[in-house]
């Protein structure tokens, strides 16, 4: 089977999937609009197709007009992700040369509309991948613009976000396919409580919605009673990131946390394993998290995890078994959930073991492959 992915960039959550295709003897290719700050090309080097000349000119003009606002923008790539347009002839030739059995398009965007058009011309099967929940909290939009976009993009959709079956709106044309993650470190092989303390880990870009400052405030409240160390790992690649990172550093200095907090920026993907190995508990206090894969990486290293109840991948956490969900933006509830784990080291070990078991049972590549093959058959009908 030959699979081609087309997405804005080669996200780290794609690495286990690409690795799975390669190791199972399949062919896989990845087309991206641009290269991200931290990418792992061990199993696949993406083909950077880029944008059409017309869009590049429009984007340069827009960047000039909005240059003052750009420095404080959390997502400077949002415009090109949604409105970027590929060089059609090069895309047509690439798809024709690759002759894929299935093309997987990321998000509903002008780029995906163009790619879907090319696939239909060449009679290539394609499906859509985005992170809108299978059971969405909001009813589907059915205005004229949304109907047009849905017509111009694949009708079959896959998502790694389950949503809430009790209160959500079910998308009958979507299929829930969890992220793929490989088991990395079994509980019996892991060394917990290095330096006789509980080591907390938080991974995420340095931006306000990640709530690093809230986590630091909680740490200040817990340190008088518990022996803890917090490691913050994240990207700092824009002026917005730098400004927020400086706030984090100022808080650490003001509260004399230099011996209790470590910050690491722009780390290589190959460096992340050491952070997970050294940690005892993974905490992701962010809000507006569509689908975080870092908590799954933590689970693969036998770590209990704590995330917000609005996190798209909160469905990967069995509340009270391998971690906890806390009420979004609720500092008191997050502090309570962290305390419940750090106050009982035996429970921490049990939760870490449960995390590893769940990874082994539910998030294998074999499960992913079977479901992709079924969707490919549906797309051919």
């Amino acid at each position: 089977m030959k699979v081609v992915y087309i997405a804005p960039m080669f996200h780290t959550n794609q690495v286990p999937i690409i690795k799975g295709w390669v190791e199972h003897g399949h062919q896989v290719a990845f087309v991206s609009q641009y290269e991200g700050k931290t990418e792992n090309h061990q199993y696949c080097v993406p083909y950077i197709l880029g944008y059409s000349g017309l869009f590049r000119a429009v984007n340069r003009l827009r960047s000039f007009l909005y240059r003052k606002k750009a420095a404080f923008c959390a997502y400077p790539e949002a415009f090109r992700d949604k409105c970027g347009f590929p060089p059609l002839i090069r895309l047509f030739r690439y798809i024709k040369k690759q002759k894929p059995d299935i093309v997987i398009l990321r998000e509903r965007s002008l780029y995906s509309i163009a790619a879907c058009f090319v696939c239909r011309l060449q009679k290539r099967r394609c499906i859509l991948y985005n992170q809108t929940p299978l059971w969405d909290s909001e009813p589907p939009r059915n205005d004229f613009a949304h109907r047009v976009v849905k017509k111009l993009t694949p009708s079959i959709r896959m998502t790694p976000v389950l949503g809430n079956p009790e209160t959500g709106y079910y998308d009958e044309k979507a299929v829930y396919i969890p992220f793929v993650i490989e088991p990395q470190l079994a509980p019996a092989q892991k060394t917990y409580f290095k330096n006789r303390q509980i080591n907390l880990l938080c991974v995420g870009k340095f931006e306000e919605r990640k709530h690093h400052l809230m986590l630091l405030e909680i740490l200040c409240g817990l340190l008088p009673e518990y022996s803890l160390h917090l490691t913050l790992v994240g990207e700092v690649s824009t002026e917005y990131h730098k400004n927020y990172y400086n706030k984090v550093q100022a808080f650490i200095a003001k509260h004399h946390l230099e011996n209790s907090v470590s910050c690491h920026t722009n780390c290589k993907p190959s460096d992340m394993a050491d952070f997970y190995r050294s940690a005892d508990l993974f905490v992701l206090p962010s809000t507006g998290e569509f689908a975080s894969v870092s908590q799954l990486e933590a689970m693969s290293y036998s770590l209990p995890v704590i995330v917000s109840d609005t996190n798209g991948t909160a469905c990967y956490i069995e509340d009270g078994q391998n971690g906890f969900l806390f009420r979004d933006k609720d500092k008191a509830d997050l502090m309570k959930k962290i305390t419940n784990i750090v106050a009982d080291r035996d429970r921490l070990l049990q939760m870490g073991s449960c995390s590893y078991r769940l990874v082994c049972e539910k998030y294998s590549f074999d499960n992913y492959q079977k479901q992709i093959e079924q969707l490919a058959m549906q797309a051919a009908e």
Side-chain angles (χ1 to χ4, degrees):
M1 187 173 186
K2 186 161 190 178
V3 184
V4 170
Y5 292 86
I6 300 179
M9 59 170 284
F10 187 58
H11 197 281
T12 52
N13 60 32
Q14 291 292 125
V15 175
I17 295 172
I18 300 300
K19 181 175 183 287
W21 286 120
V22 172
E23 292 186 344
H24 283 67
H26 300 278
Q27 292 180 284
V28 62
F30 202 101
V31 178
S32 59
Q33 301 173 31
Y34 53 87
E35 184 172 348
K37 182 71 176 181
T38 55
E39 293 189 1
N40 182 347
H41 298 164
Q42 181 178 357
Y43 299 98
C44 175
V45 178
Y47 172 54
I48 310 297
L49 181 62
Y51 302 98
S52 69
L54 176 61
F55 176 77
R56 292 199 304 271
V58 169
N59 195 43
R60 282 196 297 270
L61 176 60
R62 183 181 181 277
S63 298
F64 175 76
L65 294 176
Y66 292 94
R67 61 191 181 280
K68 292 183 179 179
K69 292 183 179 179
F72 303 97
C73 180
Y75 303 105
E77 70 276 8
F79 176 72
R80 58 180 174 174
D81 285 359
K82 282 291 183 183
C83 302
F85 198 83
L88 269 176
I89 295 177
R90 284 173 58 198
L91 178 60
F92 185 93
R93 289 173 177 169
Y94 182 85
I95 297 296
K96 186 176 182 180
K97 180 180 178 181
Q98 293 294 324
K99 298 179 180 178
D101 297 298
I102 187 72
V103 178
I104 300 176
L105 308 178
R106 182 73 165 92
E107 297 296 347
R108 289 189 169 103
S109 64
L110 288 181
Y111 216 96
S112 290
I113 288 173
C116 185
F117 173 71
V118 169
C119 288
R120 286 170 176 171
L121 280 179
Q122 299 186 23
K123 294 180 168 54
R124 297 292 172 190
R125 292 173 286 184
C126 61
I127 59 177
L128 180 74
Y129 158 57
N130 67 15
Q131 296 174 354
T132 301
L134 179 66
W135 297 86
D136 200 355
S137 59
E138 298 180 0
R141 298 180 183 179
N142 201 35
D143 56 84
F144 177 74
H146 281 84
R147 290 200 305 271
V148 170
V149 170
K150 287 180 180 179
K151 276 286 187 183
L152 297 176
T153 51
S155 58
I156 300 174
R157 180 176 74 90
M158 56 182 270
T159 175
V161 181
L162 186 60
N164 191 337
E166 296 181 3
T167 60
Y169 295 85
Y170 179 68
D171 183 352
E172 60 183 14
K173 292 188 177 181
V175 176
Y176 169 63
I177 304 182
F179 282 125
V180 173
I181 196 73
E182 290 184 302
Q184 297 293 336
L185 189 63
Q189 301 171 321
K190 183 173 174 59
T191 301
Y192 290 92
F193 314 127
K194 291 182 178 179
N195 300 320
R196 298 182 179 181
Q197 60 190 1
I198 296 179
N199 299 283
L200 282 63
L201 174 65
C202 176
V203 177
K205 293 179 181 180
F206 280 92
E207 54 190 33
E208 289 186 15
R209 72 176 184 88
K210 298 292 185 178
H211 295 312
H212 298 91
L213 294 176
M214 181 172 73
L215 185 56
L216 289 171
E217 290 172 1
I218 291 172
L219 183 69
C220 288
L222 293 176
L223 280 173
E225 189 171 354
Y226 303 101
S227 179
L228 305 172
H229 185 276
L230 172 63
T231 299
L232 302 176
V233 182
E235 180 182 323
V236 178
S237 58
T238 68
E239 287 301 314
Y240 175 83
H241 294 155
K242 292 175 185 176
N243 290 336
Y244 182 70
Y245 180 74
N246 289 338
K247 291 181 182 178
V248 170
Q249 291 295 311
F251 185 98
I252 292 171
K254 180 179 178 180
H255 294 85
H256 309 292
L257 295 173
E258 292 87 353
N259 293 328
S260 300
V261 181
S262 301
C263 295
H264 303 268
T265 62
N266 301 329
C267 298
K268 298 177 182 178
S270 57
D271 296 333
M272 293 306 301
D274 289 336
F275 292 116
Y276 288 117
R277 287 193 189 97
S278 301
D280 303 306
L281 170 63
F282 182 83
V283 183
L284 187 65
S286 57
T287 191
E289 202 71 61
F290 288 104
S292 165
V293 76
S294 58
Q295 69 218 45
L296 270 173
E297 293 173 342
M299 288 167 60
S300 75
Y301 283 88
S302 302
L303 298 179
V305 294
I306 300 176
V307 302
S308 162
D309 58 3
T310 63
N311 187 316
T313 40
C315 57
Y316 296 59
I317 311 304
E318 295 191 358
D319 198 20
Q321 299 301 311
N322 72 309
F324 288 113
L325 305 180
F326 74 94
R327 289 189 296 273
D328 189 37
K329 303 178 185 177
D330 191 328
K331 184 173 75 172
D333 192 46
L334 176 56
M335 184 171 184
K336 177 182 176 182
K337 299 299 169 58
I338 294 176
T339 304
N340 283 343
I341 296 181
V342 301
D344 188 344
R345 295 194 176 194
D346 288 337
R347 188 180 194 185
L348 184 153
L349 296 175
Q350 292 170 5
M351 286 185 159
S353 180
C354 182
S355 282
Y356 187 82
R357 176 178 57 79
L358 290 173
V359 166
C360 294
E361 292 177 356
K362 294 188 174 184
Y363 307 120
S364 69
F365 175 79
D366 289 338
N367 175 56
Y368 177 89
Q369 180 184 339
K370 289 176 184 176
Q371 294 188 77
I372 292 296
E373 290 172 346
Q374 290 174 1
L375 290 185
M377 291 177 64
Q378 293 179 35
E381 295 176 355

